Amino acid sequence: MHSFWSMRPARSPAELGLTAYDRRKLERALRQARDARYFRRLLAIKLIAEGKGPGEVAHLAALSRPAVYFWLERYLAARTPSALLDAPRSGRPRKAPRLTSRRLRRVVRSSPERAGWASHGWTVPLLRSHLQRQGFEVSPRTLRRRLHEAGLAWKRPRYVYVTAAPHPGQKKGALSAV
């Protein structure tokens, strides 16, 4: 890998090995980029390829100067815009790893009445209470996310205020007293 840390003065794109083909690849990737960090990195390398200096590029792309050099090295090593993507990260471990999509689907497909609840359908708060009884501690937000991951749609129940029919005797075919 090249070391650009001692670049004084700024080298031309040709000296760095950046070509018109690289610029076109970077422009294409810029149009398709949806992640802000990836976009800024692509923009920085494209500006370097257009002949701008690292200091100016750092200012325009909202990156530090060392970051511009780092991503330039990364791009030149691979010669592909995908080299500027973030590496996959493991992230925070799940709070309730035993609550799998399969188990969640099994619970949701069962009746809340059979589980001892006085309801005909599952709601997120009811499902959360049921899961808490089974030893799964999850927040409503996490539960909604897990339902989505399991391919299940959750809806808020629609409560309908039911009134008595205005003339129930006529509807049943009975005579009404006058």
Side-chain angles (χ1 to χ4, degrees):
M1 223 189 259
H2 301 90
S3 179
F4 296 105
W5 293 102
S6 60
M7 283 179 45
R8 309 265 180 209
R11 295 187 190 173
S12 71
E15 289 176 307
L16 294 171
L18 294 168
T19 64
Y21 179 67
D22 287 314
R23 280 195 305 275
R24 285 192 301 274
K25 276 196 298 190
L26 292 164
E27 286 170 5
R28 215 170 316 134
L30 269 169
R31 282 192 296 271
Q32 297 170 352
R34 298 289 170 252
D35 179 62
R37 290 184 299 204
Y38 179 52
F39 182 87
R40 286 195 340 241
R41 294 169 194 159
L42 288 166
L43 179 64
I45 305 309
K46 180 183 166 283
L47 292 172
I48 292 281
E50 290 174 351
K52 302 239 187 287
E56 184 181 4
V57 168
H59 178 73
L60 291 171
L63 294 169
S64 67
R65 196 177 183 131
V68 171
Y69 290 126
F70 174 82
W71 292 110
L72 179 60
E73 286 181 25
R74 177 80 70 88
Y75 178 79
L76 290 174
R79 292 286 180 184
T80 177
S82 63
L84 304 176
L85 285 166
D86 278 331
R89 297 180 188 142
S90 63
R92 180 179 176 190
R94 289 188 163 218
K95 190 160 183 182
R98 295 181 313 129
L99 183 58
T100 62
S101 293
R102 183 177 168 191
R103 182 174 279 168
L104 192 56
R105 277 193 293 271
R106 190 173 53 235
V107 170
V108 169
R109 288 190 180 128
S110 69
S111 168
E113 292 174 307
R114 283 193 181 153
W117 298 98
S119 177
H120 298 290
W122 289 109
T123 63
V124 170
L126 180 62
L127 186 57
R128 181 174 179 239
S129 296
H130 180 70
L131 292 171
Q132 280 177 328
R133 284 187 179 176
Q134 295 182 346
F136 298 103
E137 186 65 43
V138 292
S139 70
R141 183 175 178 217
T142 299
L143 185 53
R144 286 182 184 95
R145 192 172 51 249
R146 295 281 183 93
L147 288 167
H148 180 75
E149 289 171 4
L152 300 166
W154 64 274
K155 297 179 183 176
R156 288 185 179 91
R158 184 182 309 176
Y159 297 104
V160 179
Y161 181 71
V162 179
T163 59
H167 305 288
Q170 290 176 349
K171 288 191 171 190
K172 295 198 180 233
L175 295 172
S176 62
V178 181

